[in-house]
Amino acid sequence: MERGQQILLDYFEKNASTRDRWKKRNRFYQRIIERQFAFIIPEGSTVLELGCSTGDLLNSVKPGRGIGVDFSETAIQIAREKYPHLEFHLADAISFRPDTEIDYIIVSDLITSLWDIQEFFRNIRTYVTPRTKIVISSYNYIWEPILKLGEMLHLKAKQPLQNWLTIKDIENVLRLENF
């Protein structure tokens, strides 16, 4: 594992136990995200969430089969305790491969933390079908000053250095990987 990847893993592992507290503190944002994904993803679908953290978003879409993946062992343990009816795997989202056909893939606030975004989408390309939908949400870099201020005022959890991609950047990476 490269040094930058280890820094990210250490950060998410260290903060996994306080993640739910921060999400509760910012529940307005969390509820909006959950409602948007639940609106897009039909209840009962087979859903894979890459970078699932403690499992709240995956649970909120009410999947028939829900599969969550995160590289933080602590986050996965918390998710398994909270949602025993869902499946959680300790793995790197960049290399994970599901054992079943997936209807929807959730990629929420993950792209900004990925070490290799193109490799991530290249891997997903190996297991999607023509009917699989990938639902992506990500911060807009325009919000960076406000988010940094929120971190300074302890209104938001501090984040490690992140990738800031525009919608066009994400579209271009998807195009490069034949989506």
Side-chain angles (χ1 to χ4, degrees):
M1 184 178 289
E2 294 187 35
R3 183 173 161 356
Q5 289 170 303
Q6 188 62 51
I7 290 169
L8 283 173
L9 176 58
D10 292 346
Y11 167 82
F12 285 108
E13 188 62 29
K14 177 184 168 203
N15 291 291
S17 61
T18 60
R19 177 92 173 116
D20 285 346
R21 187 180 72 211
W22 281 107
K23 284 169 43 177
K24 191 176 199 177
R25 192 171 190 180
N26 297 294
R27 63 185 161 271
F28 177 75
Y29 170 76
Q30 297 303 321
R31 285 191 182 133
I32 288 172
I33 293 294
E34 289 174 358
R35 282 189 207 125
Q36 288 177 333
F37 276 86
F39 178 77
I40 294 166
I41 300 172
E43 208 172 298
S45 299
T46 300
V47 181
L48 169 64
E49 182 180 7
L50 298 168
C52 68
S53 187
T54 59
D56 295 327
L57 180 56
L58 180 60
N59 185 64
S60 74
V61 300
K62 299 181 178 130
R65 181 174 180 195
I67 305 163
V69 175
D70 204 284
F71 72 164
S72 166
E73 186 173 357
T74 303
I76 289 296
Q77 289 172 347
I78 293 167
R80 286 176 179 156
E81 289 172 18
K82 288 169 64 175
Y83 307 110
H85 60 286
L86 301 175
E87 301 171 36
F88 293 98
H89 300 271
L90 177 62
D92 190 332
I94 290 177
S95 58
F96 180 79
R97 287 209 168 93
D99 63 357
T100 190
E101 192 173 297
I102 303 295
D103 299 322
Y104 289 85
I105 300 172
I106 295 175
V107 181
S108 179
D109 297 332
L110 175 65
I111 291 175
T112 57
S113 298
L114 288 173
W115 189 250
D116 188 331
I117 297 163
Q118 188 169 356
E119 184 180 344
F120 171 75
F121 284 114
R122 184 176 303 131
N123 180 57
I124 289 174
R125 190 76 186 107
T126 65
Y127 60 81
V128 297
T129 68
R131 60 183 212 92
T132 304
K133 306 282 188 283
I134 303 172
V135 186
I136 301 170
S137 71
S138 186
Y139 290 114
N140 185 319
Y141 71 92
I142 292 171
W143 289 97
E144 185 175 16
I146 294 168
L147 296 173
K148 289 295 179 193
L149 178 63
E151 289 176 5
M152 286 178 14
L153 298 173
H154 302 288
L155 300 172
K156 179 189 172 308
K158 190 170 173 66
Q159 297 287 310
L161 186 61
Q162 297 183 318
N163 300 308
W164 290 97
L165 283 82
T166 65
I167 291 172
K168 261 306 186 215
D169 293 332
I170 295 168
E171 288 173 353
N172 286 334
V173 173
L174 288 167
R175 234 181 257 109
L176 285 171
E177 292 307 319
N178 299 313
F179 281 95

